[in-house]
Amino acid sequence: MRGHAWINTILPDELIIEIFRCLDSKLSRDACSLVCKRWLKLERLSRTTLRIGATGSPELFVQLLARRFVNIRNVHIDERLAISLPLHSGRRRRNEVMCLPFNSHHATDNTGAEGALESSYLSDAGLIALSVGFPNLEKLSLIWCSNISSQGLTSLAEKCRFLKSLDLQGCYVGDQGVAAVGEFCKQLEDVNLRFCEGLTDTGLVELAHGCGKSLKTFGITACAKITDVSLEAVGMHCKYLESLSLDSEIIHNKGVLSVAQGCPLLKVLKLQCTNVTDEALVAVGSLCPSLELLALYSFQEFTDKGLRAIGVGCKKLKNLTLSDCYFLSDIGLDAVAAGCKGLTHLEVNGCHNIGSLGLESIGKSCHQLTELALLYCQKIVNSGLLGIGQSCKFLQALHLVDCSRIGDEAICGIAKGCRNLKKLHIRRCYEIGDAGIVAIGENCKFLTDLSLRFCDRVGDEGLIAIGKGCSLLQLNVSGCHRIGDAGLVAIARGCPQLSYLDVSVLENLGDMAMAELGEGCPLLKDIVLSHCHQITDAGLMHLMKRCTMLESCQMVYCPGITAAGVATVVSSCPSVKKILVEKWKVSERTKRRAGSVISYLCVDL
């Protein structure tokens, strides 16, 4: 039937398109598109999203894609992506929804090296081609497309009037282009202006005035010319705004006060503004009762007074992040616990005056807590986590980093009280040892993600309990030098679904563990073996016998692994995408076979 369309001729096109849209993976849709010409055409009609790496001749690619995929609504272009794909292989499919590169290595432009370089990135011509080819565009993401200007953005705004989401991160566009977006794109809901250094208040005021009635999400980061004037315009025109992300050293209380007063529906507020004080947070607490997520970073003038106002006024708060807020104490956290009983996510990072009393208050009042992160919290001791373990039975994720006073007692309390725990990440908590991890293995049967980086009191006993009690998908025990073959053998026998494993800097780990992992964990995709001095080529060979789905392998500073071991990985794993190893361990034959898959450790001599 080659060249014919005789498959399911009775079903109408619309029904087949709808079936294609219901398929759960792009791989399945790609396979369907190869059945016959009709299915190829209909599968293309079902596509709504393109993901593009922006190098090469952008306008030519956009024109080609526009002819093939006429129902595109979402386009993502990212100049940070460097994907090598020959121009003649346009039919090659990738595992994303759609991922075709603009590749400068295969451009046919004969303008010379300098001209080719200029045409290698998305310019105004490419943006104009995009607007002509996809006039019904609803979502456009242009990440670090630094060659586009206001001219191209204006042309796009004039033609793509159904635009709802626009991400201009790292684009050096000016006020004229952003003002045009405000003038023509009256349905715009989501705008990201991170690192748009060419913008001033003039452009943002016009944007807020033009599409303020539809705008719901707004992000401004590192725009050095944006002042409180822009936020005043947002507060005046964007009364339906739900999310604001702001990172600026020149924004003061005045701008945040304007937003609080003019945007009563605000649900998400992320602030990294060193000149904003309690006055602004008190206004948010009293004027934004719908607030659900609050993230405060690097506040130098923010005290318990502001956090107390949030606890009193924002009863719907579910997610709170406090990072490097040096003047906060247990008093502020206690106020949040008392007022925001529906809190589900809490992160405390580097707030050195917050201790166990505040965390105990959270445990007593916030019984719906599902995720807790404590980073660099030197004042929090076991009693704080014991309170969480006693009351927060829905906790699913716990992150502990450099909490030097938290030990086995606290982890045992979490294990016994939070049996729904799925993720446990601990790093450099030197008081936590086997006793706590054994309790986790015995009680937390749903645990799938365990990371114990540089917890040097954890050994084989803890991992044996995990292997018996949990079915892990991800495991990281980097730097836990007491762990050897016995612990990893237990994991290999008890966790057949394991897909990610980091055992770097385990000097006692040898080939026996590799052989067991190869036998018991055939789904392994990513493994890190760096600085494992006992692993040799023999162990690597045993690992690769059944782990043929491996995609990434890091094995630097492994003296027992030679060029033969590297060749084994390359030849045994057809899906491998990244190998990190010393350059001298890769033979010329392996280089030719692996190509760009291999990355080399750079060592300064």
Side-chain angles (χ1 to χ4, degrees):
M1 298 190 298
R2 180 177 296 176
H4 298 280
W6 292 343
I7 308 296
N8 284 340
T9 56
I10 298 178
L11 292 179
D13 290 353
E14 293 80 7
L15 184 55
I16 294 180
I17 290 173
E18 193 60 33
I19 292 172
F20 285 155
R21 286 175 176 164
C22 292
L23 293 177
D24 60 353
S25 71
K26 180 180 178 295
L27 192 61
S28 299
R29 294 173 62 174
D30 286 345
C32 289
S33 70
L34 300 177
V35 169
C36 64
K37 287 186 176 180
R38 181 191 178 213
W39 282 29
L40 174 62
K41 176 183 176 182
L42 296 179
E43 195 278 333
R44 286 178 174 176
L45 290 174
S46 73
R47 299 274 179 160
T48 59
T49 300
L50 293 177
R51 299 185 186 275
I52 304 169
T55 56
S57 301
E59 57 274 10
L60 298 179
F61 268 99
V62 169
Q63 292 168 6
L64 172 65
L65 295 173
R67 289 196 298 268
R68 291 185 176 182
F69 305 97
V70 298
N71 290 324
I72 294 299
R73 296 291 184 271
N74 309 318
V75 173
H76 305 267
I77 301 177
D78 192 340
E79 284 195 358
R80 297 172 302 177
L81 299 179
I83 307 170
S84 297
L85 182 66
L87 189 62
H88 59 73
S89 63
R91 290 191 178 184
R92 177 179 172 180
R93 308 287 178 161
R94 300 185 63 85
N95 290 330
E96 297 293 333
V97 176
M98 182 69 188
C99 192
L100 292 175
F102 302 151
N103 196 309
S104 59
H105 296 295
H106 302 282
T108 56
D109 190 1
N110 294 320
T111 56
E114 185 175 349
L117 182 62
E118 290 178 357
S119 68
S120 295
Y121 302 101
L122 186 71
S123 63
D124 288 339
L127 209 55
I128 292 170
L130 195 70
S131 64
V132 173
F134 306 114
N136 296 320
L137 204 61
E138 295 180 358
K139 185 175 182 179
L140 177 61
S141 179
L142 304 172
I143 306 297
W144 296 106
C145 296
S146 54
N147 281 4
I148 66 171
S149 70
S150 287
Q151 180 182 356
L153 191 58
T154 300
S155 298
L156 181 120
E158 290 175 349
K159 293 182 174 63
C160 300
R161 302 196 177 198
F162 301 107
L163 204 63
K164 293 182 179 180
S165 176
L166 180 62
D167 189 343
L168 296 174
Q169 177 175 321
C171 298
Y172 201 84
V173 293
D175 293 331
Q176 182 183 351
V178 173
V181 171
E183 179 181 356
F184 296 109
C185 303
K186 299 300 183 181
Q187 300 180 32
L188 197 64
E189 297 179 358
D190 182 1
V191 177
N192 182 10
L193 301 175
R194 298 184 67 205
F195 304 105
C196 293
E197 298 178 2
L199 291 180
T200 70
D201 289 328
T202 302
L204 255 66
V205 169
E206 291 296 321
L207 177 69
H209 181 267
C211 59
K213 292 181 179 180
S214 62
L215 202 62
K216 293 182 179 180
T217 303
F218 198 27
I220 307 172
T221 298
C223 298
K225 301 174 184 177
I226 301 302
T227 69
D228 291 323
V229 173
S230 293
L231 290 190
E232 288 180 293
V234 170
M236 182 179 297
H237 300 291
C238 307
K239 63 179 180 179
Y240 299 109
L241 191 72
E242 295 180 359
S243 176
L244 175 64
S245 179
L246 185 63
D247 181 353
S248 172
E249 295 182 356
I250 58 176
I251 295 293
H252 296 77
N253 286 337
K254 188 177 181 181
V256 180
L257 282 169
S258 298
V259 171
Q261 292 167 353
C263 308
L265 301 180
L266 201 66
K267 294 181 179 180
V268 176
L269 181 60
K270 300 178 181 180
L271 294 178
Q272 185 163 344
C273 306
T274 55
N275 292 314
V276 173
T277 68
D278 284 332
E279 182 184 358
L281 267 295
V282 169
V284 171
S286 60
L287 299 173
C288 302
S290 298
L291 197 69
E292 296 179 1
L293 186 152
L294 177 63
L296 305 173
Y297 303 95
S298 302
F299 270 73
Q300 307 298 320
E301 302 182 38
F302 179 42
T303 71
D304 291 327
K305 178 182 178 181
L307 200 57
R308 190 184 300 115
I310 296 297
V312 171
C314 302
K315 303 295 184 182
K316 296 182 180 180
L317 193 70
K318 295 181 179 179
N319 192 318
L320 177 63
T321 296
L322 305 171
S323 180
D324 295 324
C325 299
Y326 302 127
F327 298 107
L328 291 180
S329 72
D330 292 328
I331 296 174
L333 205 56
D334 181 71
V336 169
C340 310
K341 297 183 184 298
L343 198 71
T344 60
H345 292 72
L346 174 63
E347 177 180 331
V348 181
N349 183 350
C351 301
H352 301 305
N353 287 315
I354 291 180
S356 295
L357 291 177
L359 199 58
E360 288 176 27
S361 298
I362 293 292
K364 291 176 182 178
S365 301
C366 304
H367 299 163
Q368 304 301 314
L369 197 69
T370 59
E371 184 167 3
L372 175 64
L374 303 175
L375 293 76
Y376 311 102
C377 296
Q378 304 299 331
K379 281 194 172 183
I380 295 180
V381 298
N382 289 331
S383 60
L385 271 187
L386 285 173
I388 298 294
Q390 289 170 0
S391 303
C392 301
K393 63 180 180 179
F394 298 110
L395 193 72
Q396 295 183 12
L398 176 62
H399 307 260
L400 301 174
V401 176
D402 275 359
C403 296
S404 59
R405 301 177 69 184
I406 292 177
D408 286 332
E409 182 184 358
I411 300 303
C412 289
I414 291 290
K416 293 174 182 177
C418 306
R419 295 179 181 243
N420 292 306
L421 200 68
K422 295 180 179 179
K423 178 189 291 188
L424 177 61
H425 283 199
I426 304 175
R427 187 174 72 194
R428 291 196 301 268
C429 294
Y430 302 119
E431 295 300 314
I432 296 174
D434 280 331
I437 304 306
V438 168
I440 293 290
E442 291 175 348
N443 295 280
C444 302
K445 304 302 181 183
F446 300 107
L447 192 73
T448 59
D449 186 350
L450 177 63
S451 178
L452 302 169
R453 297 179 61 192
F454 295 96
C455 295
D456 57 6
R457 291 185 59 207
V458 176
D460 288 332
E461 184 181 351
L463 277 201
I464 290 172
I466 293 293
K468 291 179 178 179
C470 310
S471 184
L472 295 182
L473 301 178
Q474 301 182 64
L475 174 64
N476 187 336
V477 288
S478 174
C480 299
H481 62 84
R482 295 190 182 186
I483 292 176
D485 287 341
L488 266 298
V489 167
I491 293 295
R493 294 176 179 177
C495 305
Q497 304 295 316
L498 194 70
S499 63
Y500 175 87
L501 178 64
D502 186 341
V503 291
S504 56
V505 204
L506 297 192
E507 297 183 356
N508 296 320
L509 194 67
D511 291 339
M512 181 187 298
M514 294 298 102
E516 290 282 349
L517 285 167
E519 186 67 26
C521 302
L523 302 181
L524 202 61
K525 290 186 177 181
D526 302 279
I527 189 166
V528 184
L529 304 172
S530 300
H531 295 273
C532 291
H533 296 170
Q534 304 295 328
I535 296 176
T536 70
D537 291 343
L540 209 55
M541 182 182 67
H542 286 297
L543 179 69
M544 297 303 153
K545 279 185 178 179
R546 292 190 62 194
C547 295
T548 56
M549 299 175 63
L550 203 68
E551 296 179 357
S552 172
C553 181
Q554 299 183 37
M555 43 186 172
V556 297
Y557 296 123
C558 297
I561 295 178
T562 69
V566 178
T568 297
V569 176
V570 172
S571 60
S572 302
C573 304
S575 300
V576 69
K577 298 176 182 177
K578 179 182 178 181
I579 296 175
L580 183 62
V581 69
E582 295 93 334
K583 191 171 185 178
W584 59 271
K585 289 186 179 180
V586 183
S587 67
E588 289 299 323
R589 181 180 179 182
T590 302
K591 285 181 185 178
R592 290 193 299 270
R593 186 166 186 172
S596 60
V597 163
I598 298 182
S599 299
Y600 302 109
L601 178 72
C602 295
V603 180
D604 295 328
L605 299 178

